[in-house]
Amino acid sequence: MRFTPISRLIRRLPQRDICGPLQSRALQTNSVPKDPLAKPRKYKIPQFYDPYGHRPPPSEKIIQLAERIGELSEEERGQIMPTLSERLNLPKLQPISTDGLDMGPEGGSAGPKVEEKKAEKTAFDVKLEKFDAAAKIKVIKEVRTFTSLGLKEAKDLVEKVPVVLKQGVTKEEANDIIEKIKAAGGVAVME
């Protein structure tokens, strides 16, 4: 490899005094002149962080209202929010659905359980349960008719009983396959 000509070219390039734009200006010693007599800045740090900034104290009217609310009974305090939302025309809060959340064994909602209707199954699997030893060849031939398997693959599949022969078929097609297997001497079920 020839690195020497490239290294000579790099050495001949003019050197810049100021670094490129990708480097921080704080790291460049010649960009900001420093005052050797300057003292470090002292910042006033608050006791606690308030994201909303300084707020004025509540008015006398608000303080009296808070005292009156504190004197109310538990039932009367429970009626404050519905009355205020009605009076101020606030939008009603929609309940949050917890259908997709795992709420643990205790559930999550105290409301009545809604029974979900099970969707009817549209795709079925045909499973070969067993077959007569004398009818093995007939069962292999029937398996080859509704699958696209060769003789050896169909034989290996039939010998692995119980095994799923066909997946995702309609109910009519599954019943047709089960009848053909039964006629050949095997026992198949629909799952």
Side-chain angles (χ1 to χ4, degrees):
M1 291 189 194
R2 293 187 175 213
F3 290 111
T4 53
I6 295 173
S7 63
R8 286 182 193 153
L9 286 173
I10 293 173
R11 272 190 246 143
R12 290 181 188 162
L13 290 174
Q15 297 292 324
R16 290 175 35 181
D17 291 335
I18 299 175
C19 296
L22 296 178
Q23 293 184 354
S24 174
R25 300 226 6 127
L27 299 176
Q28 299 174 5
T29 57
N30 60 352
S31 64
V32 180
K34 292 186 178 179
D35 183 13
L37 302 175
K39 294 182 181 176
R41 291 184 184 175
K42 292 185 180 178
Y43 294 101
K44 189 175 182 182
I45 300 172
Q47 286 281 345
F48 59 91
Y49 175 69
D50 187 9
Y52 302 109
H54 178 70
R55 284 180 268 171
S59 67
E60 187 62 34
K61 194 175 187 181
I62 300 297
I63 292 173
Q64 289 174 359
L65 182 62
E67 288 174 0
R68 287 184 62 197
I69 290 174
E71 293 171 359
L72 294 175
S73 67
E74 192 73 29
E75 291 176 13
E76 292 172 332
R77 272 187 261 158
Q79 296 172 0
I80 291 175
M81 276 312 292
T83 308
L84 274 177
S85 61
E86 215 176 278
R87 184 85 183 262
L88 299 174
N89 294 326
L90 297 176
K92 292 184 179 179
L93 297 176
Q94 299 295 326
I96 298 173
S97 173
T98 58
D99 292 341
L101 302 176
D102 182 21
M103 301 303 283
E106 68 274 352
S109 59
K113 299 281 182 178
V114 178
E115 290 185 22
E116 296 180 13
K117 294 182 181 178
K118 291 184 180 179
E120 291 187 28
K121 201 172 179 183
T122 57
F124 297 92
D125 298 340
V126 178
K127 184 176 182 181
L128 179 65
E129 290 288 321
K130 58 185 176 178
F131 60 89
D132 294 331
K136 181 178 179 181
I137 296 171
K138 291 179 186 176
V139 173
I140 292 173
K141 286 182 181 178
E142 282 301 321
V143 168
R144 286 189 65 203
T145 59
F146 59 84
T147 61
S148 60
L149 298 175
L151 182 62
K152 185 177 184 325
E153 291 87 6
K155 179 180 176 273
D156 292 342
L157 186 70
V158 169
E159 288 175 350
K160 291 181 189 174
V161 171
V163 67
V164 175
L165 296 175
K166 196 146 184 174
Q167 295 179 335
V169 295
T170 62
K171 190 171 185 175
E172 295 82 24
E173 191 177 348
N175 286 331
D176 187 39
I177 292 171
I178 290 172
E179 288 175 15
K180 287 180 181 179
I181 296 284
K182 189 182 268 187
V187 177
V189 294
M190 182 173 29
E191 293 183 339

